[in-house]
Amino acid sequence: MRPGSIIYFFREAGKSLNRNRLLSFATVTTVAICILIFGFGVLFTLNASNFMNHLESDVQIRAFLDQELTTSQVSDVGRKIEVMDGVKSHEFVSRDEALQNLQKEFGRRQYDLRATLGKNPLPHVYVVKVKNPREVSRIANKITQLPGVHKVNYGKGTVERLFQVTRWMRIIGIIFIVLLLIGAVFLIATTIRLAIFARRREIYLMKLIGSTDWFVRWPFFIEGVLLSTIGALISIGVLALAYGSLIGKASNVFFIKLITDPTILSHLYLILLGAGAALGIIGTWISLNRFLKV
Amino acid sequence: MLVQFYNVSKIYPNGAKALDDISIQIDRGEFVFLMGASGAGKSTLVKMLFREELPTRGQIFVASRSVVRMKRSDVPRLRRNMGIVFQDFKLLEKKTVAENIAFAMEVVGAGSKDIRVRVPEVINMVGLKGKENCFPGELSGGEQQRVGIARALANRPLLLIADEPTGNLDLNTSQEIMELLFDINRKGTTVIMASHARELVRAARKRVIMLQSGRVVDDSPNGESLL
């Protein structure tokens, strides 16, 4: 490609943008809104799935030990739990500590729980965290089978329901984003089709004079990608400002810890920019080929 | 031979027969009129020259290359050998005279130095000196067609194709345009002009190919059939 032609492509794209200012503005706005919604969707999904991960990782197994175990038997159970496959950490809570905790939680200031109960009815407990929350029921079963373990509690049922909810949340989030993307491509294709339609006489003329298909395409590609990239930049700006101020005001929204990792966020913004450019290319491509068949 | 049609027929998908077994040969340097009433097949024939339409049957050669068998990617090269003048001028309203002509050179990838030299040259040739920076809307019909002709000449075509170039012009202006086309022909460019302006064609005393219902009914070297 000759350098003169490249200058020509950019000049034509620029002229067209300037000449069809209203249409250019409409396209930029459309792209910006699409990317903005998409960006918010992604941020929401990211935060939601972050929250879900958080919820899932909170799932823990409480293994209650038999009352009559000796100290060495208790630590024996601890060692067996420790070497168990998939266990992240385990913490021993003695019956005394457990009672103190109970006293803290329920006891009034002057109320002596221990005196009321006479003797401590609580067993020793191992609080076990697992590496993969989905393995919680398998590991709980294994712990139940250990000698000296009286009972295991891991919120059976609740955990399963939680996983079901989080799975559905993720599926719905992905569907939502895919739908938005499809919508954005269609909007851009339509807008660029309008821009091309406004210049169809010119394209027809170019083809009859003897320009190649690519010579016709290039200015439109530059125009389409420029418009969608500008739109994406605007939406990224808005998104960054809005999310930034949200993070600045509160690190928590409804007890959900927001994602503040700058690497994740800058990756997200880069992806949005790339998505904007891609939308421009796809939209231009869909619209352009129909007008080249001369 | 510059243009050769061998047994060319064109039937449109709706069943309309536009051309019926046409065979024509046009030599380099000729000036040829295609005559006939509307619907006789002039436009179809003209469009086949630059491959906007393909024949249903038959072969077409331009400068010894088959237009029918040509690859899609070779079509731009075919068209760069031709200049096309339209009845409705097809000027870009938002470009000036000079820009309209430069456009034709830009879109085939001409260099900017070449464009700077050639544009004033063809503007002179068609007698529009001083109007370089006018927009088409500021020109008369005759002047606009001169721009159209200048644009067609810009890339130094072998063949100038004019489809009813005087169709939208009054008689005096038409005659001026004809003079311009004869002048271009004298300088060596082959001209094929479709027209149904009988008086104009008769006065020219050039070769006339007469079409009727898609068939050649007469082909006379000096337009004798119109006398």
Side-chain angles (χ1 to χ4, degrees), chain A residues 2 5 8 11-12 15 19 201-202 204-213 215 292 294, chain B residues 50 52 72 76 79-80 84 86 90-92 94-95 103-104 106-111 151 155:
Chain A
R2 291 164 24 81
S5 296
Y8 166 83
R11 203 178 59 217
E12 281 305 305
K15 269 195 218 160
R19 209 173 280 153
R201 272 167 46 101
E202 205 174 315
Y204 175 73
L205 198 61
M206 286 169 84
K207 291 287 300 189
L208 287 195
I209 289 169
S211 40
T212 58
D213 285 352
F215 198 93
L292 285 176
V294 175
Chain B
F50 44 87
E52 193 182 339
R72 205 178 128 75
R79 290 176 180 168
R80 285 173 198 197
I84 307 170
F86 305 90
K90 292 206 193 301
L91 301 178
L92 301 172
K94 286 169 180 167
K95 288 186 193 287
F103 175 75
E106 282 166 346
V107 301
V108 299
R151 182 181 62 195
N155 292 320

mmCIF file of all heavy atoms in Angstrom, chain A residues 2 5 8 11-12 15 19 201-202 204-213 215 292 294, chain B residues 50 52 72 76 79-80 84 86 90-92 94-95 103-104 106-111 151 155:
data_model
loop_
_atom_site.group_PDB
_atom_site.id
_atom_site.type_symbol
_atom_site.label_atom_id
_atom_site.label_comp_id
_atom_site.label_asym_id
_atom_site.label_seq_id
_atom_site.Cartn_x
_atom_site.Cartn_y
_atom_site.Cartn_z
ATOM 1 N N ARG A 2 0.516 2.179 -0.878
ATOM 2 C CA ARG A 2 1.319 3.392 -0.989
ATOM 3 C C ARG A 2 1.051 4.321 0.191
ATOM 4 O O ARG A 2 -0.077 4.429 0.648
ATOM 5 C CB ARG A 2 0.969 4.128 -2.280
ATOM 6 C CG ARG A 2 1.416 3.413 -3.540
ATOM 7 C CD ARG A 2 0.693 3.980 -4.748
ATOM 8 N NE ARG A 2 0.243 5.350 -4.511
ATOM 9 C CZ ARG A 2 1.023 6.429 -4.616
ATOM 10 N NH1 ARG A 2 2.284 6.285 -4.923
ATOM 11 N NH2 ARG A 2 0.533 7.616 -4.399
ATOM 12 N N SER A 5 -1.729 6.683 -0.281
ATOM 13 C CA SER A 5 -3.070 6.126 -0.106
ATOM 14 C C SER A 5 -3.473 6.108 1.356
ATOM 15 O O SER A 5 -4.621 6.384 1.693
ATOM 16 C CB SER A 5 -3.128 4.709 -0.662
ATOM 17 O OG SER A 5 -2.909 4.733 -2.053
ATOM 18 N N TYR A 8 -4.565 9.331 2.278
ATOM 19 C CA TYR A 8 -5.883 9.521 1.677
ATOM 20 C C TYR A 8 -6.976 8.858 2.526
ATOM 21 O O TYR A 8 -8.011 9.463 2.809
ATOM 22 C CB TYR A 8 -5.892 8.939 0.256
ATOM 23 C CG TYR A 8 -7.271 8.788 -0.332
ATOM 24 C CD1 TYR A 8 -7.920 9.864 -0.935
ATOM 25 C CD2 TYR A 8 -7.950 7.567 -0.265
ATOM 26 C CE1 TYR A 8 -9.190 9.724 -1.456
ATOM 27 C CE2 TYR A 8 -9.217 7.427 -0.779
ATOM 28 C CZ TYR A 8 -9.834 8.503 -1.375
ATOM 29 O OH TYR A 8 -11.103 8.371 -1.867
ATOM 30 N N ARG A 11 -7.545 10.840 5.656
ATOM 31 C CA ARG A 11 -8.168 12.124 5.335
ATOM 32 C C ARG A 11 -9.650 11.916 5.006
ATOM 33 O O ARG A 11 -10.506 12.647 5.489
ATOM 34 C CB ARG A 11 -7.444 12.765 4.153
ATOM 35 C CG ARG A 11 -7.623 14.281 4.113
ATOM 36 C CD ARG A 11 -6.861 14.889 2.954
ATOM 37 N NE ARG A 11 -7.320 14.340 1.694
ATOM 38 C CZ ARG A 11 -6.522 14.081 0.647
ATOM 39 N NH1 ARG A 11 -5.244 14.320 0.742
ATOM 40 N NH2 ARG A 11 -7.011 13.569 -0.462
ATOM 41 N N GLU A 12 -9.933 10.869 4.208
ATOM 42 C CA GLU A 12 -11.330 10.604 3.845
ATOM 43 C C GLU A 12 -12.148 10.255 5.081
ATOM 44 O O GLU A 12 -13.279 10.718 5.234
ATOM 45 C CB GLU A 12 -11.401 9.451 2.832
ATOM 46 C CG GLU A 12 -11.068 9.847 1.421
ATOM 47 C CD GLU A 12 -11.926 11.008 0.914
ATOM 48 O OE1 GLU A 12 -13.164 10.898 0.952
ATOM 49 O OE2 GLU A 12 -11.341 12.032 0.517
ATOM 50 N N LYS A 15 -12.696 13.437 6.989
ATOM 51 C CA LYS A 15 -13.677 14.299 6.323
ATOM 52 C C LYS A 15 -15.088 13.776 6.538
ATOM 53 O O LYS A 15 -16.008 14.545 6.789
ATOM 54 C CB LYS A 15 -13.397 14.306 4.807
ATOM 55 C CG LYS A 15 -12.454 15.414 4.353
ATOM 56 C CD LYS A 15 -12.557 15.536 2.839
ATOM 57 C CE LYS A 15 -11.210 15.819 2.221
ATOM 58 N NZ LYS A 15 -11.179 15.484 0.792
ATOM 59 N N ARG A 19 -18.020 15.669 8.157
ATOM 60 C CA ARG A 19 -19.163 16.001 7.318
ATOM 61 C C ARG A 19 -20.458 15.472 7.938
ATOM 62 O O ARG A 19 -21.476 16.127 7.914
ATOM 63 C CB ARG A 19 -18.949 15.373 5.940
ATOM 64 C CG ARG A 19 -19.607 16.119 4.831
ATOM 65 C CD ARG A 19 -19.185 15.509 3.515
ATOM 66 N NE ARG A 19 -17.874 15.954 3.075
ATOM 67 C CZ ARG A 19 -17.079 15.237 2.286
ATOM 68 N NH1 ARG A 19 -17.446 14.028 1.906
ATOM 69 N NH2 ARG A 19 -15.930 15.714 1.898
ATOM 70 N N ARG A 201 -23.637 6.425 -3.267
ATOM 71 C CA ARG A 201 -23.369 6.959 -4.607
ATOM 72 C C ARG A 201 -21.860 7.067 -4.837
ATOM 73 O O ARG A 201 -21.352 6.737 -5.896
ATOM 74 C CB ARG A 201 -23.994 8.351 -4.743
ATOM 75 C CG ARG A 201 -25.440 8.337 -5.214
ATOM 76 C CD ARG A 201 -26.057 9.714 -5.015
ATOM 77 N NE ARG A 201 -25.154 10.769 -5.490
ATOM 78 C CZ ARG A 201 -25.286 11.382 -6.665
ATOM 79 N NH1 ARG A 201 -26.281 11.071 -7.452
ATOM 80 N NH2 ARG A 201 -24.448 12.309 -7.033
ATOM 81 N N GLU A 202 -21.198 7.542 -3.793
ATOM 82 C CA GLU A 202 -19.751 7.701 -3.873
ATOM 83 C C GLU A 202 -19.068 6.350 -4.045
ATOM 84 O O GLU A 202 -18.144 6.199 -4.838
ATOM 85 C CB GLU A 202 -19.288 8.362 -2.573
ATOM 86 C CG GLU A 202 -18.013 9.125 -2.668
ATOM 87 C CD GLU A 202 -17.737 9.860 -1.376
ATOM 88 O OE1 GLU A 202 -18.669 10.486 -0.828
ATOM 89 O OE2 GLU A 202 -16.607 9.795 -0.905
ATOM 90 N N TYR A 204 -20.392 3.595 -5.303
ATOM 91 C CA TYR A 204 -20.720 3.114 -6.640
ATOM 92 C C TYR A 204 -19.774 3.752 -7.661
ATOM 93 O O TYR A 204 -19.189 3.083 -8.502
ATOM 94 C CB TYR A 204 -22.177 3.485 -6.939
ATOM 95 C CG TYR A 204 -22.641 3.156 -8.331
ATOM 96 C CD1 TYR A 204 -22.877 1.841 -8.712
ATOM 97 C CD2 TYR A 204 -22.868 4.172 -9.259
ATOM 98 C CE1 TYR A 204 -23.315 1.546 -9.989
ATOM 99 C CE2 TYR A 204 -23.305 3.889 -10.527
ATOM 100 C CZ TYR A 204 -23.526 2.566 -10.902
ATOM 101 O OH TYR A 204 -23.957 2.278 -12.159
ATOM 102 N N LEU A 205 -19.600 5.054 -7.517
ATOM 103 C CA LEU A 205 -18.720 5.794 -8.409
ATOM 104 C C LEU A 205 -17.282 5.296 -8.316
ATOM 105 O O LEU A 205 -16.617 5.055 -9.327
ATOM 106 C CB LEU A 205 -18.791 7.277 -8.034
ATOM 107 C CG LEU A 205 -18.302 8.278 -9.061
ATOM 108 C CD1 LEU A 205 -19.122 8.172 -10.323
ATOM 109 C CD2 LEU A 205 -18.412 9.683 -8.496
ATOM 110 N N MET A 206 -16.821 5.122 -7.089
ATOM 111 C CA MET A 206 -15.451 4.642 -6.893
ATOM 112 C C MET A 206 -15.249 3.302 -7.580
ATOM 113 O O MET A 206 -14.242 3.067 -8.245
ATOM 114 C CB MET A 206 -15.147 4.489 -5.397
ATOM 115 C CG MET A 206 -14.954 5.801 -4.673
ATOM 116 S SD MET A 206 -14.921 5.559 -2.898
ATOM 117 C CE MET A 206 -13.213 5.102 -2.666
ATOM 118 N N LYS A 207 -16.241 2.419 -7.421
ATOM 119 C CA LYS A 207 -16.128 1.096 -8.017
ATOM 120 C C LYS A 207 -16.097 1.190 -9.545
ATOM 121 O O LYS A 207 -15.343 0.488 -10.192
ATOM 122 C CB LYS A 207 -17.304 0.219 -7.571
ATOM 123 C CG LYS A 207 -17.271 -0.164 -6.105
ATOM 124 C CD LYS A 207 -16.205 -1.186 -5.810
ATOM 125 C CE LYS A 207 -16.468 -2.439 -6.620
ATOM 126 N NZ LYS A 207 -15.629 -3.557 -6.249
ATOM 127 N N LEU A 208 -16.924 2.073 -10.114
ATOM 128 C CA LEU A 208 -16.947 2.178 -11.569
ATOM 129 C C LEU A 208 -15.673 2.819 -12.093
ATOM 130 O O LEU A 208 -15.238 2.554 -13.204
ATOM 131 C CB LEU A 208 -18.169 2.998 -12.025
ATOM 132 C CG LEU A 208 -19.517 2.306 -11.900
ATOM 133 C CD1 LEU A 208 -20.565 3.048 -12.698
ATOM 134 C CD2 LEU A 208 -19.457 0.862 -12.374
ATOM 135 N N ILE A 209 -15.078 3.702 -11.312
ATOM 136 C CA ILE A 209 -13.830 4.335 -11.750
ATOM 137 C C ILE A 209 -12.689 3.328 -11.703
ATOM 138 O O ILE A 209 -11.719 3.439 -12.438
ATOM 139 C CB ILE A 209 -13.534 5.582 -10.879
ATOM 140 C CG1 ILE A 209 -14.535 6.693 -11.222
ATOM 141 C CG2 ILE A 209 -12.116 6.084 -11.113
ATOM 142 C CD1 ILE A 209 -14.507 7.861 -10.266
ATOM 143 N N GLY A 210 -12.838 2.323 -10.865
ATOM 144 C CA GLY A 210 -11.824 1.262 -10.866
ATOM 145 C C GLY A 210 -11.064 1.128 -9.570
ATOM 146 O O GLY A 210 -9.935 0.642 -9.559
ATOM 147 N N SER A 211 -11.671 1.566 -8.445
ATOM 148 C CA SER A 211 -10.942 1.336 -7.201
ATOM 149 C C SER A 211 -11.195 -0.094 -6.737
ATOM 150 O O SER A 211 -12.233 -0.689 -7.028
ATOM 151 C CB SER A 211 -11.325 2.334 -6.120
ATOM 152 O OG SER A 211 -12.675 2.592 -6.133
ATOM 153 N N THR A 212 -10.237 -0.627 -6.026
ATOM 154 C CA THR A 212 -10.361 -1.994 -5.526
ATOM 155 C C THR A 212 -11.289 -1.991 -4.314
ATOM 156 O O THR A 212 -11.547 -0.944 -3.718
ATOM 157 C CB THR A 212 -8.996 -2.535 -5.092
ATOM 158 O OG1 THR A 212 -8.484 -1.660 -4.085
ATOM 159 C CG2 THR A 212 -8.022 -2.562 -6.251
ATOM 160 N N ASP A 213 -11.772 -3.187 -3.968
ATOM 161 C CA ASP A 213 -12.675 -3.302 -2.818
ATOM 162 C C ASP A 213 -12.018 -2.766 -1.555
ATOM 163 O O ASP A 213 -12.641 -2.069 -0.761
ATOM 164 C CB ASP A 213 -13.073 -4.761 -2.600
ATOM 165 C CG ASP A 213 -14.080 -5.217 -3.635
ATOM 166 O OD1 ASP A 213 -14.566 -4.357 -4.394
ATOM 167 O OD2 ASP A 213 -14.368 -6.417 -3.693
ATOM 168 N N PHE A 215 -9.669 -0.574 -1.289
ATOM 169 C CA PHE A 215 -9.524 0.879 -1.315
ATOM 170 C C PHE A 215 -10.816 1.537 -0.850
ATOM 171 O O PHE A 215 -10.797 2.548 -0.151
ATOM 172 C CB PHE A 215 -9.188 1.341 -2.735
ATOM 173 C CG PHE A 215 -8.615 2.715 -2.769
ATOM 174 C CD1 PHE A 215 -7.248 2.896 -2.745
ATOM 175 C CD2 PHE A 215 -9.436 3.831 -2.804
ATOM 176 C CE1 PHE A 215 -6.705 4.161 -2.759
ATOM 177 C CE2 PHE A 215 -8.901 5.101 -2.822
ATOM 178 C CZ PHE A 215 -7.530 5.273 -2.793
ATOM 179 N N LEU A 292 -20.580 -3.330 -1.977
ATOM 180 C CA LEU A 292 -19.431 -3.424 -2.873
ATOM 181 C C LEU A 292 -19.734 -4.241 -4.120
ATOM 182 O O LEU A 292 -18.925 -4.345 -5.003
ATOM 183 C CB LEU A 292 -18.247 -4.044 -2.128
ATOM 184 C CG LEU A 292 -17.578 -3.106 -1.141
ATOM 185 C CD1 LEU A 292 -16.500 -3.826 -0.381
ATOM 186 C CD2 LEU A 292 -16.985 -1.911 -1.871
ATOM 187 N N VAL A 294 -20.684 -4.173 -7.062
ATOM 188 C CA VAL A 294 -20.940 -3.412 -8.286
ATOM 189 C C VAL A 294 -20.038 -3.973 -9.371
ATOM 190 O O VAL A 294 -18.850 -4.075 -9.146
ATOM 191 C CB VAL A 294 -20.655 -1.913 -8.083
ATOM 192 C CG1 VAL A 294 -20.809 -1.182 -9.399
ATOM 193 C CG2 VAL A 294 -21.605 -1.353 -7.055
ATOM 194 N N PHE B 50 -18.117 -2.326 -18.803
ATOM 195 C CA PHE B 50 -17.323 -2.190 -17.570
ATOM 196 C C PHE B 50 -17.774 -3.189 -16.512
ATOM 197 O O PHE B 50 -17.521 -3.039 -15.333
ATOM 198 C CB PHE B 50 -17.311 -0.754 -17.036
ATOM 199 C CG PHE B 50 -18.625 -0.033 -17.024
ATOM 200 C CD1 PHE B 50 -19.474 -0.161 -15.950
ATOM 201 C CD2 PHE B 50 -18.976 0.810 -18.069
ATOM 202 C CE1 PHE B 50 -20.667 0.524 -15.916
ATOM 203 C CE2 PHE B 50 -20.182 1.495 -18.041
ATOM 204 C CZ PHE B 50 -21.029 1.356 -16.974
ATOM 205 N N GLU B 52 -20.553 -4.121 -15.162
ATOM 206 C CA GLU B 52 -21.562 -3.961 -14.116
ATOM 207 C C GLU B 52 -22.628 -5.026 -14.321
ATOM 208 O O GLU B 52 -23.279 -5.457 -13.380
ATOM 209 C CB GLU B 52 -22.180 -2.553 -14.156
ATOM 210 C CG GLU B 52 -22.983 -2.264 -12.894
ATOM 211 C CD GLU B 52 -23.657 -0.902 -12.893
ATOM 212 O OE1 GLU B 52 -23.222 -0.014 -13.644
ATOM 213 O OE2 GLU B 52 -24.634 -0.751 -12.144
ATOM 214 N N ARG B 72 -12.900 -11.444 -10.268
ATOM 215 C CA ARG B 72 -13.446 -10.255 -9.631
ATOM 216 C C ARG B 72 -12.341 -9.248 -9.276
ATOM 217 O O ARG B 72 -12.515 -8.040 -9.383
ATOM 218 C CB ARG B 72 -14.181 -10.666 -8.353
ATOM 219 C CG ARG B 72 -15.257 -9.718 -7.915
ATOM 220 C CD ARG B 72 -15.945 -10.257 -6.673
ATOM 221 N NE ARG B 72 -15.967 -9.238 -5.627
ATOM 222 C CZ ARG B 72 -16.776 -8.183 -5.635
ATOM 223 N NH1 ARG B 72 -17.617 -8.013 -6.612
ATOM 224 N NH2 ARG B 72 -16.732 -7.289 -4.678
ATOM 225 N N PRO B 76 -11.159 -4.033 -11.304
ATOM 226 C CA PRO B 76 -10.664 -2.648 -11.209
ATOM 227 C C PRO B 76 -9.706 -2.276 -12.337
ATOM 228 O O PRO B 76 -9.780 -1.176 -12.868
ATOM 229 C CB PRO B 76 -9.955 -2.635 -9.852
ATOM 230 C CG PRO B 76 -10.662 -3.658 -9.055
ATOM 231 C CD PRO B 76 -11.017 -4.745 -10.040
ATOM 232 N N ARG B 79 -11.581 -1.466 -15.450
ATOM 233 C CA ARG B 79 -12.291 -0.188 -15.395
ATOM 234 C C ARG B 79 -11.342 1.008 -15.457
ATOM 235 O O ARG B 79 -11.745 2.095 -15.841
ATOM 236 C CB ARG B 79 -13.131 -0.131 -14.119
ATOM 237 C CG ARG B 79 -14.312 -1.091 -14.182
ATOM 238 C CD ARG B 79 -15.099 -1.128 -12.905
ATOM 239 N NE ARG B 79 -16.224 -2.069 -13.022
ATOM 240 C CZ ARG B 79 -16.953 -2.478 -11.994
ATOM 241 N NH1 ARG B 79 -16.691 -2.041 -10.781
ATOM 242 N NH2 ARG B 79 -17.946 -3.315 -12.182
ATOM 243 N N ARG B 80 -10.088 0.783 -15.067
ATOM 244 C CA ARG B 80 -9.140 1.896 -15.114
ATOM 245 C C ARG B 80 -8.765 2.260 -16.541
ATOM 246 O O ARG B 80 -8.210 3.324 -16.789
ATOM 247 C CB ARG B 80 -7.878 1.540 -14.312
ATOM 248 C CG ARG B 80 -8.151 1.611 -12.829
ATOM 249 C CD ARG B 80 -7.003 1.111 -12.003
ATOM 250 N NE ARG B 80 -7.488 0.809 -10.657
ATOM 251 C CZ ARG B 80 -6.699 0.663 -9.604
ATOM 252 N NH1 ARG B 80 -5.403 0.797 -9.732
ATOM 253 N NH2 ARG B 80 -7.220 0.397 -8.435
ATOM 254 N N ILE B 84 -16.005 6.800 -17.694
ATOM 255 C CA ILE B 84 -17.449 6.696 -17.878
ATOM 256 C C ILE B 84 -18.103 8.051 -17.628
ATOM 257 O O ILE B 84 -17.815 8.719 -16.631
ATOM 258 C CB ILE B 84 -18.044 5.639 -16.926
ATOM 259 C CG1 ILE B 84 -17.302 4.305 -17.093
ATOM 260 C CG2 ILE B 84 -19.534 5.463 -17.199
ATOM 261 C CD1 ILE B 84 -17.643 3.273 -16.050
ATOM 262 N N PHE B 86 -21.798 9.933 -17.317
ATOM 263 C CA PHE B 86 -23.179 9.536 -17.017
ATOM 264 C C PHE B 86 -24.176 10.608 -17.431
ATOM 265 O O PHE B 86 -23.862 11.796 -17.487
ATOM 266 C CB PHE B 86 -23.337 9.293 -15.513
ATOM 267 C CG PHE B 86 -22.358 8.312 -14.952
ATOM 268 C CD1 PHE B 86 -21.132 8.724 -14.460
ATOM 269 C CD2 PHE B 86 -22.655 6.955 -14.927
ATOM 270 C CE1 PHE B 86 -20.218 7.824 -13.947
ATOM 271 C CE2 PHE B 86 -21.739 6.046 -14.415
ATOM 272 C CZ PHE B 86 -20.520 6.476 -13.919
ATOM 273 N N LYS B 90 -23.366 12.372 -12.029
ATOM 274 C CA LYS B 90 -22.828 11.680 -10.840
ATOM 275 C C LYS B 90 -21.624 12.414 -10.246
ATOM 276 O O LYS B 90 -20.602 11.802 -9.919
ATOM 277 C CB LYS B 90 -22.449 10.231 -11.174
ATOM 278 C CG LYS B 90 -23.654 9.353 -11.490
ATOM 279 C CD LYS B 90 -23.356 7.897 -11.196
ATOM 280 C CE LYS B 90 -24.408 6.977 -11.800
ATOM 281 N NZ LYS B 90 -25.778 7.258 -11.295
ATOM 282 N N LEU B 91 -21.751 13.695 -10.074
ATOM 283 C CA LEU B 91 -20.698 14.454 -9.387
ATOM 284 C C LEU B 91 -20.973 14.408 -7.891
ATOM 285 O O LEU B 91 -22.126 14.279 -7.472
ATOM 286 C CB LEU B 91 -20.686 15.904 -9.872
ATOM 287 C CG LEU B 91 -20.463 16.090 -11.374
ATOM 288 C CD1 LEU B 91 -20.522 17.566 -11.743
ATOM 289 C CD2 LEU B 91 -19.130 15.496 -11.806
ATOM 290 N N LEU B 92 -19.911 14.497 -7.106
ATOM 291 C CA LEU B 92 -20.095 14.535 -5.656
ATOM 292 C C LEU B 92 -20.341 15.978 -5.250
ATOM 293 O O LEU B 92 -19.481 16.841 -5.437
ATOM 294 C CB LEU B 92 -18.866 13.951 -4.951
ATOM 295 C CG LEU B 92 -18.573 12.498 -5.372
ATOM 296 C CD1 LEU B 92 -17.255 12.024 -4.800
ATOM 297 C CD2 LEU B 92 -19.704 11.567 -4.954
ATOM 298 N N LYS B 94 -20.498 17.576 -2.557
ATOM 299 C CA LYS B 94 -19.752 18.242 -1.492
ATOM 300 C C LYS B 94 -18.289 18.447 -1.849
ATOM 301 O O LYS B 94 -17.498 18.878 -1.025
ATOM 302 C CB LYS B 94 -19.873 17.442 -0.193
ATOM 303 C CG LYS B 94 -21.246 17.596 0.437
ATOM 304 C CD LYS B 94 -21.446 16.605 1.558
ATOM 305 C CE LYS B 94 -22.831 16.771 2.178
ATOM 306 N NZ LYS B 94 -23.150 15.627 3.047
ATOM 307 N N LYS B 95 -17.938 18.079 -3.070
ATOM 308 C CA LYS B 95 -16.559 18.304 -3.530
ATOM 309 C C LYS B 95 -16.569 19.351 -4.633
ATOM 310 O O LYS B 95 -17.527 19.441 -5.410
ATOM 311 C CB LYS B 95 -15.971 16.997 -4.069
ATOM 312 C CG LYS B 95 -15.639 15.958 -3.007
ATOM 313 C CD LYS B 95 -14.938 14.768 -3.646
ATOM 314 C CE LYS B 95 -14.850 13.580 -2.729
ATOM 315 N NZ LYS B 95 -13.880 13.720 -1.656
ATOM 316 N N PHE B 103 -10.571 13.156 -7.161
ATOM 317 C CA PHE B 103 -11.168 11.965 -6.546
ATOM 318 C C PHE B 103 -10.977 10.733 -7.434
ATOM 319 O O PHE B 103 -10.576 9.663 -6.956
ATOM 320 C CB PHE B 103 -12.657 12.237 -6.310
ATOM 321 C CG PHE B 103 -13.443 11.074 -5.796
ATOM 322 C CD1 PHE B 103 -13.339 10.667 -4.481
ATOM 323 C CD2 PHE B 103 -14.320 10.385 -6.633
ATOM 324 C CE1 PHE B 103 -14.070 9.599 -4.000
ATOM 325 C CE2 PHE B 103 -15.056 9.315 -6.158
ATOM 326 C CZ PHE B 103 -14.927 8.929 -4.839
ATOM 327 N N ALA B 104 -11.252 10.913 -8.755
ATOM 328 C CA ALA B 104 -11.135 9.785 -9.689
ATOM 329 C C ALA B 104 -9.707 9.257 -9.726
ATOM 330 O O ALA B 104 -9.484 8.071 -9.935
ATOM 331 C CB ALA B 104 -11.574 10.206 -11.081
ATOM 332 N N GLU B 106 -7.422 9.729 -7.131
ATOM 333 C CA GLU B 106 -7.106 9.219 -5.789
ATOM 334 C C GLU B 106 -7.591 7.781 -5.619
ATOM 335 O O GLU B 106 -6.875 6.945 -5.072
ATOM 336 C CB GLU B 106 -7.756 10.098 -4.715
ATOM 337 C CG GLU B 106 -7.012 11.404 -4.465
ATOM 338 C CD GLU B 106 -7.841 12.401 -3.668
ATOM 339 O OE1 GLU B 106 -9.057 12.194 -3.532
ATOM 340 O OE2 GLU B 106 -7.246 13.387 -3.188
ATOM 341 N N VAL B 107 -8.809 7.516 -6.086
ATOM 342 C CA VAL B 107 -9.389 6.192 -5.811
ATOM 343 C C VAL B 107 -8.735 5.086 -6.619
ATOM 344 O O VAL B 107 -8.971 3.914 -6.352
ATOM 345 C CB VAL B 107 -10.929 6.162 -6.013
ATOM 346 C CG1 VAL B 107 -11.594 7.165 -5.110
ATOM 347 C CG2 VAL B 107 -11.293 6.366 -7.461
ATOM 348 N N VAL B 108 -7.925 5.422 -7.621
ATOM 349 C CA VAL B 108 -7.165 4.362 -8.277
ATOM 350 C C VAL B 108 -5.714 4.399 -7.810
ATOM 351 O O VAL B 108 -4.852 3.737 -8.369
ATOM 352 C CB VAL B 108 -7.251 4.446 -9.823
ATOM 353 C CG1 VAL B 108 -8.694 4.291 -10.264
ATOM 354 C CG2 VAL B 108 -6.661 5.730 -10.353
ATOM 355 N N GLY B 109 -5.455 5.209 -6.752
ATOM 356 C CA GLY B 109 -4.141 5.193 -6.116
ATOM 357 C C GLY B 109 -3.085 6.034 -6.819
ATOM 358 O O GLY B 109 -1.894 5.765 -6.689
ATOM 359 N N ALA B 110 -3.506 7.074 -7.560
ATOM 360 C CA ALA B 110 -2.525 7.938 -8.238
ATOM 361 C C ALA B 110 -1.739 8.747 -7.202
ATOM 362 O O ALA B 110 -2.248 9.052 -6.125
ATOM 363 C CB ALA B 110 -3.233 8.871 -9.211
ATOM 364 N N GLY B 111 -0.529 9.114 -7.538
ATOM 365 C CA GLY B 111 0.297 9.902 -6.630
ATOM 366 C C GLY B 111 -0.150 11.349 -6.605
ATOM 367 O O GLY B 111 -0.730 11.853 -7.575
ATOM 368 N N ARG B 151 -13.465 14.299 -15.411
ATOM 369 C CA ARG B 151 -13.208 13.222 -14.454
ATOM 370 C C ARG B 151 -12.945 11.905 -15.192
ATOM 371 O O ARG B 151 -12.052 11.133 -14.818
ATOM 372 C CB ARG B 151 -14.410 13.063 -13.519
ATOM 373 C CG ARG B 151 -14.222 11.999 -12.468
ATOM 374 C CD ARG B 151 -15.443 11.867 -11.588
ATOM 375 N NE ARG B 151 -16.594 11.463 -12.376
ATOM 376 C CZ ARG B 151 -17.859 11.533 -11.953
ATOM 377 N NH1 ARG B 151 -18.120 11.998 -10.740
ATOM 378 N NH2 ARG B 151 -18.848 11.167 -12.716
ATOM 379 N N ASN B 155 -7.783 9.719 -15.784
ATOM 380 C CA ASN B 155 -6.870 8.574 -15.719
ATOM 381 C C ASN B 155 -6.412 8.104 -17.095
ATOM 382 O O ASN B 155 -5.989 6.955 -17.251
ATOM 383 C CB ASN B 155 -7.536 7.430 -14.944
ATOM 384 C CG ASN B 155 -7.706 7.782 -13.473
ATOM 385 O OD1 ASN B 155 -6.829 8.378 -12.869
ATOM 386 N ND2 ASN B 155 -8.858 7.436 -12.914
#
